[in-house]
Amino acid sequence: MYNPITTYRIQFNKDFPLKDLEKQIEYLTLLGAGAVYASPIFAATPGSGHGYDVIDPLRFNPEITDEATFSKVRKKLGQSSIGWIQDIVPNHMAYHPGNVWMMDVLEKGSDSAWYRFFDLEPGVAGKDNKLMVPFLGIPLDEAIKNNDIKTGWKNGTFTLEYFDNIYPVNHDTFRSIAESNISSAPAPIQELWDKHLKASVTQSYLQHEWEEAKEKAQQLYATNPEVKAFIDKLTQKLSSREASIREIIEMQFYELCHWQETEKRINFRRFFTVNGLICLRMEDAEVFKEFHSFINKQMEQGNFNGLRIDHIDGLNDPNQYLDRLRKLCGDETWIVAEKILEHQEELPSFWPVQGNTGYDFLAIVNNLLTSVKHYDKLKALYKEVTNIKDSASELIYQNKKMILNSRMHGEWDNIFQYFNHFGFIDYEKENISREEIKEALGEFMLACPVYRLYPRAFPLRNQNRIVVDEIFKTARKRTPALTAALEKLSSVMLSDEKNDEDFNEKLQQFFSRLMQFTGPLMAKGVEDTSMYQYNCFVAHNEVGDAINASGITISGFHTAMEERQQKWPYTMNTTSTHDTKRGEDVRARLNIVSELTDEWEEKVHEWMRMNQKLKIRLDSGLLEPSTSIEYFIYQTLLGTFPFDGKIDETYLKRIDEYLVKALREAKRKVSWRDPDDTYENTVCQFARQMLNPRHDFLAAFVPFMQKVAWRGITNSLTQLTLKITCPGIPDIYQGTELWDFTLVDPDNRQPVDYDLRLAQLEEMKAHQQPNDDALLRDLLKNATDGRIKLWYTACLLNARKLNPDLFVKGEYIALSVSGKRNAHLLAFARKHYNEWAIVAVPLITATLSDQTGAACLLDMDWGDTQIQLPPSAPQKWLNTITSEVITKKDILIPGEVFTGIAPVVLVNHRE
């Protein structure tokens, strides 16, 4: 099987196409990247900044590359031993006029060759059950009266146009318009129209002859001025008549409607609550085959070495999909799935993948860096200053309920109708109403503790049965009034009818559909709402982590890594992605607060007193911002502030944009649906006034920030070292080789200065002397410039490349640490046959030194601390960071092998 060794994530777009990557091959090679981990590079909506809004999966995005350029760059990467991992998006496509498949469905309804591709409710896209096109900014009637909707001409037929959105009309509409106007048409178009007005309209005709006719009509329009003038005049006439527009709209297989309509009703599956992303029926074998045909071509040509599957939880049957994908790609392909694992949830062991995209690793390391001892103090402080009494679990429940009622009510109705379709309950015989069963279904979804389950058969067995039973227990406890309905629903889902194949098949179909909506509900309720409301300790408000996570012990970390090596040695380790809420170094820095809780509490009270006068009383009668938002702002500033304490307008604008996004995502007083400039500006102005040099805050804030920031460097280097040396395949998100103090997108998708990184890396390599830690000491002294992180990244990635089997296949061996400071050092060995590595990283060290600035990194007294080496370990070691050769047999003494507090990675020295 292909082993990428390491991956380097690239966010491709029109501003960073493939030709720009070509210029960075030298840098990636020097850095030690094993494979490019590419964002989606398939045709997407024009100007897409991320590529997940695919309009055609069967060709490259012309804004990024063409086939010739891709082949050339891919060959150059191969010559540098750099592979290619491709991010693919099987769950959805863009609901966009550029999506030819989708437009064909709008035009032809169920007669479209692509009709089966899209996940529509039964019977949708007919004249009696129209497919919603929810992209109007106002209700349809208003849009018509405002003359916002017009007729046009594109690709040889008439269209409906709403500003830049152009939608085709169906053949009946063409016939109606043509019949009424053919007598005045120029001869060429008259002849063409006459022929097709007489045609017998069948599915075959629409898919073949009619398409040819449109091509001829478009050619006439493009080459014959008389035809063009006639068509333009005709569309202008139709556009000017409100009655004509209404008649044309009424004739379609689709319904133009206001975007907010989908909060109440919807007849297609979408990605989360994004109207612009329509989902696919990947469970259909023909859909799977066609969608993956271009991907398969690239695999067969050796261009793609591995795949990353976006949003696997959206698929109807992830188990079936992965089996098909593995069969298509073969056993040599490295495959990981984007899967958010909740606490103690495990990736299905039967999935034919190498693992997931690494959010579980992010959470494990993030918790390791949190002081378990002091977390309760943070929790108490949060409750004190905000007066918020709700627990994290209650907040999540209420937010999921709000999403279900106000954002996903249409999906809720649909899943209830689907349940009734199977006839599981005879309402006439049961003393339970339909509404009660619908509410019970809703409570089941709200109580689901994970994104979804993956049963392979019914009746449910083993862990799946246990989880579903617990879901019903939780739902009954929360809503006693629904006990009877929940009991009935439970008797259906937990039925033990082993011999009733028909019933079990129906139940599996329903349950698979239900699971397609528990995931979006979790994502919107937790990631996109609760993580912006519950501000106890925002370092844990992160994808894959939990808002109430309180840290893990060293022994807990060792256990997790041992299991990782045994079960998923090729899974991905990540600490920053395009989806993370905060950059990896923001979290690392904030975790220092968990060690300095007494000082943090003192500072927060001081800052709140001095900033009280900056608050404004709005018409609501409340002083804004609230203490909860204020507390959130302090943590945000602490995590992102420049080391030197100097800020500029660029930083202030970043904070403005982030605060507005955070407020809208929280959905308390504003949202993306209901923004409020007055409230949002009040919060932003509060932050700006705090940061005004004439105010007292900066003088009180900067010294503490710098104390935290310098100590945060230790956490950052520990996090990086663990990511690269622990079991799994480490991923470096673009640009994070230097300090990553970004926030959520779009802040974390800024252009990367690769020329700077290459120059710095070349300079450091030129200055590194064998058997000497002088360079490392210089880097620690000047750690705020970020070069030390770049150096560690390059040294450790290249160590992996030199020892690929050691770091992927090698055992994970927890090492015993003794001495008074044993709780501040984590150590382990990796062993593969005669190859060895020793890794030692500092932990929870913020209070171990009173030094300020670089001194807290350089002057570390480890006292009597010792690391016990395994009896079979070699005696001679090479320090991968300093190139020093060390001879040790039974023990390692940190004071002798560490340079200050910097992590150590040793490999057995080869003469």
Side-chain angles (χ1 to χ4, degrees):
M1 185 201 69
Y2 173 74
N3 172 14
I5 306 174
T6 67
T7 61
Y8 187 94
R9 174 70 177 202
I10 298 286
Q11 293 294 121
F12 288 106
N13 52 58
K14 63 182 178 61
D15 298 319
F16 192 87
L18 200 67
K19 64 181 182 181
D20 286 347
L21 173 67
E22 184 178 9
K23 302 172 187 175
Q24 309 309 331
I25 294 177
E26 178 186 2
Y27 168 70
L28 293 177
T29 303
L30 193 63
L31 185 68
V36 167
Y37 170 26
S39 64
I41 57 173
F42 311 100
T45 59
S48 174
H50 49 76
Y52 291 97
D53 46 357
V54 175
I55 59 174
D56 187 352
L58 306 186
R59 60 186 174 94
F60 288 124
N61 186 342
E63 294 181 348
I64 295 174
T65 187
D66 54 33
E67 293 211 37
T69 303
F70 183 78
S71 295
K72 182 182 73 168
V73 175
R74 186 65 191 86
K75 183 177 180 181
K76 286 187 176 181
L77 286 167
Q79 290 169 348
S80 295
S81 300
I82 297 176
W84 190 279
I85 308 300
Q86 184 56 58
D87 197 343
I88 63 172
V89 194
N91 179 68
H92 55 265
M93 292 177 69
Y95 198 158
H96 184 272
N99 183 342
V100 175
W101 298 359
M102 191 69 239
M103 294 306 103
D104 198 69
V105 173
L106 295 188
E107 179 185 350
K108 299 167 187 169
S110 58
D111 285 330
S112 169
W114 308 106
Y115 179 75
R116 67 191 297 176
F117 277 60
F118 296 98
D119 200 345
L120 314 180
E121 289 299 308
V124 168
K127 289 184 179 178
D128 297 326
N129 194 357
K130 301 184 177 190
L131 174 60
M132 296 171 72
V133 181
F135 302 110
L136 301 185
I138 54 179
L140 175 61
D141 193 58
E142 289 182 39
I144 294 173
K145 289 179 179 179
N146 291 348
N147 199 31
D148 291 338
I149 301 176
K150 307 178 188 301
T151 56
W153 178 268
K154 185 179 181 182
N155 297 332
T157 190
F158 297 100
T159 59
L160 281 170
E161 300 180 356
Y162 176 71
F163 298 104
D164 293 335
N165 292 327
I166 301 173
Y167 305 110
V169 300
N170 59 28
H171 192 270
D172 283 354
T173 308
F174 156 75
R175 291 175 69 95
S176 176
I177 296 173
E179 285 173 347
S180 301
N181 296 277
I182 192 170
S183 61
S184 58
I189 204 76
Q190 198 174 90
E191 179 184 349
L192 181 64
W193 281 3
D194 184 61
K195 175 183 176 181
H196 288 278
L197 284 172
K198 297 175 182 177
S200 176
V201 180
T202 63
Q203 184 179 51
S204 177
Y205 165 80
L206 288 173
Q207 293 180 7
H208 300 98
E209 290 93 334
W210 176 235
E211 289 299 317
E212 294 174 5
K214 289 194 296 181
E215 288 182 18
K216 292 176 182 177
Q218 185 61 28
Q219 187 177 14
L220 286 171
Y221 181 82
T223 59
N224 188 318
E226 185 182 8
V227 170
K228 184 179 187 303
F230 167 75
I231 294 293
D232 289 347
K233 184 177 180 180
L234 176 55
T235 56
Q236 288 170 13
K237 180 181 74 171
L238 293 170
S239 297
S240 67
R241 298 175 179 175
E242 183 178 316
S244 296
I245 291 294
R246 289 185 183 278
E247 182 181 357
I248 292 171
I249 290 172
E250 184 59 31
M251 294 179 73
Q252 304 316 307
F253 297 125
Y254 56 88
E255 168 197 357
L256 298 177
C257 59
H258 189 231
W259 65 270
Q260 290 181 354
E261 277 292 308
T262 55
E263 295 180 349
K264 297 173 288 185
R265 62 184 180 91
I266 190 168
N267 56 16
F268 63 91
R269 188 168 65 87
R270 54 187 170 165
F271 172 73
F272 293 173
T273 57
V274 182
N275 290 344
L277 296 173
I278 188 166
C279 294
L280 297 165
R281 296 184 62 252
M282 204 52 64
E283 65 272 21
D284 186 307
E286 290 302 313
V287 175
F288 177 92
K289 181 180 179 181
E290 181 71 11
F291 179 89
H292 291 87
S293 59
F294 185 70
I295 295 168
N296 187 42
K297 172 186 172 184
Q298 300 304 320
M299 301 290 295
E300 289 177 342
Q301 293 176 352
N303 291 330
F304 295 172
N305 304 115
L307 299 174
R308 180 258 196 195
I309 306 159
D310 181 65
H311 191 46
I312 187 119
D313 281 348
L315 304 181
N316 182 271
D317 190 345
N319 307 331
Q320 175 200 68
Y321 173 81
L322 290 173
D323 287 340
R324 286 175 174 169
L325 187 66
R326 178 56 73 189
K327 184 177 180 180
L328 181 73
C329 297
D331 293 336
E332 293 303 308
T333 303
W334 184 78
I335 300 175
V336 291
E338 182 198 29
K339 169 62 193 165
I340 312 301
L341 294 168
E342 296 301 307
H343 182 57
Q344 293 188 331
E345 182 187 8
E346 294 187 7
L347 200 66
S349 59
F350 52 84
W351 277 6
V353 296
Q354 274 58 59
N356 62 55
T357 50
Y359 288 118
D360 57 336
F361 182 84
L362 180 157
I364 292 169
V365 174
N366 201 30
N367 277 272
L368 178 68
L369 298 178
T370 299
S371 174
V372 177
K373 180 180 178 182
H374 296 106
Y375 179 79
D376 283 345
K377 288 186 178 180
L378 288 174
K379 194 173 179 180
L381 176 62
Y382 174 64
K383 288 184 176 181
E384 175 202 340
V385 299
T386 65
N387 202 34
I388 292 175
K389 305 301 182 185
D390 286 345
S391 66
S393 58
E394 177 62 23
L395 183 75
I396 288 171
Y397 170 70
Q398 293 299 336
N399 283 328
K400 289 173 71 174
K401 194 168 188 175
M402 178 270 294
I403 294 294
L404 187 62
N405 279 292
S406 65
R407 301 295 196 275
M408 292 179 62
H409 200 277
E411 283 89 351
W412 186 12
D413 280 341
N414 292 342
I415 197 65
F416 175 58
Q417 293 302 323
Y418 194 58
F419 176 82
N420 289 330
H421 163 76
F422 291 107
F424 291 127
I425 296 177
D426 187 336
Y427 291 99
E428 293 184 1
K429 292 183 179 180
E430 301 287 345
N431 189 27
I432 298 171
S433 70
R434 291 174 181 269
E435 188 59 32
E436 286 175 311
I437 292 297
K438 179 186 172 183
E439 290 292 327
L441 265 175
E443 289 298 329
F444 179 91
M445 295 168 72
L446 295 173
C448 190
V450 293
Y451 274 65
R452 67 172 292 167
L453 300 174
Y454 309 94
R456 289 185 285 182
F458 279 77
L460 288 173
R461 288 286 177 266
N462 304 323
Q463 187 62 25
N464 285 316
R465 192 174 188 87
I466 292 171
V467 173
V468 170
D469 187 51
E470 285 299 318
I471 290 173
F472 278 112
K473 287 179 181 177
T474 300
R476 285 193 293 268
K477 185 176 180 181
R478 282 177 176 156
T479 53
L482 289 174
T483 296
L486 287 164
E487 292 283 3
K488 185 60 187 176
L489 197 58
S490 174
S491 72
V492 174
M493 290 198 199
L494 293 174
S495 169
D496 206 16
E497 295 288 342
K498 300 177 185 178
N499 299 320
D500 193 336
E501 293 183 8
D502 181 61
F503 173 84
N504 287 323
E505 174 62 27
K506 290 177 180 178
L507 186 56
Q508 180 143 20
Q509 289 179 38
F510 167 72
F511 197 82
S512 294
R513 189 62 167 178
L514 178 65
M515 292 294 98
Q516 287 182 285
F517 297 108
T518 54
L521 187 58
M522 176 74 84
K524 297 305 295 181
V526 181
E527 286 180 35
D528 293 346
T529 304
S530 299
M531 284 189 176
Y532 290 94
Q533 288 185 8
Y534 191 81
N535 303 321
C536 177
F537 189 42
V538 299
H540 289 289
N541 294 14
E542 190 54 89
V543 183
D545 208 338
I547 58 176
N548 58 345
S550 56
I552 61 171
T553 62
I554 290 176
S555 62
F557 179 83
H558 283 318
T559 298
M561 291 303 105
E562 287 165 356
E563 291 179 356
R564 196 174 189 82
Q565 180 58 33
Q566 292 168 8
K567 297 178 179 179
W568 303 103
Y570 289 90
T571 193
M572 186 176 274
N573 295 346
T574 193
T575 46
S576 281
T577 76
H578 59 288
D579 278 335
T580 41
K581 308 295 184 186
R582 290 164 187 80
E584 57 192 41
D585 298 315
V586 176
R587 295 193 307 274
R589 182 191 286 186
L590 283 173
N591 267 305
I592 295 297
V593 170
S594 71
E595 304 178 53
L596 304 176
T597 49
D598 290 341
E599 193 171 352
W600 169 246
E601 180 178 1
E602 178 185 325
K603 291 298 179 183
V604 167
H605 285 305
E606 178 187 357
W607 299 336
M608 284 187 161
R609 285 193 298 270
M610 67 172 56
N611 292 326
Q612 179 69 16
K613 60 187 177 185
L614 302 179
K615 296 191 174 188
I616 296 176
R617 193 174 300 280
L618 298 181
D619 292 342
S620 63
L622 300 174
L623 278 176
E624 298 293 355
S626 67
T627 51
S628 177
I629 297 300
E630 183 181 1
Y631 193 59
F632 173 79
I633 291 173
Y634 294 144
Q635 293 180 75
T636 300
L637 296 178
L638 189 65
T640 61
F641 224 72
F643 283 102
D644 61 7
K646 298 176 182 178
I647 56 174
D648 56 16
E649 184 60 24
T650 299
Y651 178 82
L652 291 172
K653 285 182 178 178
R654 285 178 56 215
I655 296 299
D656 283 347
E657 291 171 3
Y658 175 66
L659 289 178
V660 169
K661 179 164 186 172
L663 293 171
R664 292 181 182 179
E665 294 285 10
K667 304 174 191 66
R668 285 198 185 276
K669 297 176 181 178
V670 294
S671 65
W672 294 108
R673 183 187 188 279
D674 300 301
D676 182 340
D677 289 345
T678 300
Y679 172 73
E680 292 165 3
N681 290 337
T682 296
V683 174
C684 292
Q685 281 302 114
F686 174 79
R688 279 181 171 261
Q689 289 174 13
M690 276 193 340
L691 299 175
N692 189 317
R694 292 189 294 272
H695 184 49
D696 297 338
F697 175 71
L698 281 177
F701 172 77
V702 169
F704 179 72
M705 179 279 296
Q706 290 178 326
K707 177 179 181 178
V708 170
W710 274 97
R711 284 158 175 77
I713 290 170
T714 303
N715 275 355
S716 290
L717 295 179
T718 289
Q719 177 177 245
L720 174 66
T721 301
L722 292 174
K723 176 170 70 173
I724 298 177
T725 59
C726 282
I729 305 296
D731 174 57
I732 308 299
Y733 181 71
Q734 62 175 35
T736 60
E737 314 88 284
L738 296 180
W739 298 130
D740 175 25
F741 294 114
T742 59
L743 293 161
V744 73
D745 70 282
D747 196 50
N748 62 6
R749 300 180 188 181
Q750 299 171 15
V752 178
D753 188 343
Y754 286 108
D755 291 340
L756 170 66
R757 287 160 173 75
L758 176 60
Q760 289 181 334
L761 189 51
E762 288 179 330
E763 182 183 16
M764 287 186 288
K765 282 189 172 287
H767 282 82
Q768 173 63 47
Q769 298 297 318
N771 214 20
D772 190 353
D773 72 348
L775 174 62
L776 180 55
R777 287 189 172 279
D778 177 68
L779 295 176
L780 286 167
K781 183 178 179 181
N782 298 283
T784 58
D785 64 20
R787 290 179 302 138
I788 189 168
K789 189 181 181 189
L790 176 60
W791 183 246
Y792 261 79
T793 303
C795 289
L796 296 179
L797 292 187
N798 279 285
R800 281 187 69 95
K801 271 202 159 182
L802 289 172
N803 305 275
D805 289 341
L806 171 62
F807 287 104
V808 174
K809 300 177 182 179
E811 295 175 59
Y812 179 95
I813 305 169
L815 298 182
S816 174
V817 180
S818 61
K820 292 181 180 179
R821 294 192 166 176
N822 67 323
H824 301 284
L825 193 64
L826 181 149
F828 60 88
R830 302 299 305 277
K831 177 182 180 293
H832 183 67
Y833 294 107
N834 293 322
E835 294 181 340
W836 284 79
I838 300 294
V839 180
V841 297
L843 284 177
I844 318 297
T845 59
T847 60
L848 298 188
S849 171
D850 294 328
Q851 300 282 0
T852 59
C856 73
L857 303 179
L858 285 163
D859 301 329
M860 179 63 186
D861 179 12
W862 286 105
D864 63 347
T865 308
Q866 294 183 352
I867 302 170
Q868 185 69 46
L869 298 181
S872 58
Q875 297 185 36
K876 189 168 282 190
W877 302 90
L878 175 69
N879 188 321
T880 59
I881 308 299
T882 65
S883 298
E884 293 175 283
V885 177
I886 300 164
T887 302
K888 293 290 177 183
K889 180 170 176 55
D890 299 323
I891 59 171
L892 280 180
I893 299 174
E896 296 177 1
V897 296
F898 272 70
T899 298
I901 204 169
V904 171
V905 178
L906 311 176
V907 294
N908 51 304
H909 180 59
R910 301 182 181 93
E911 298 293 346

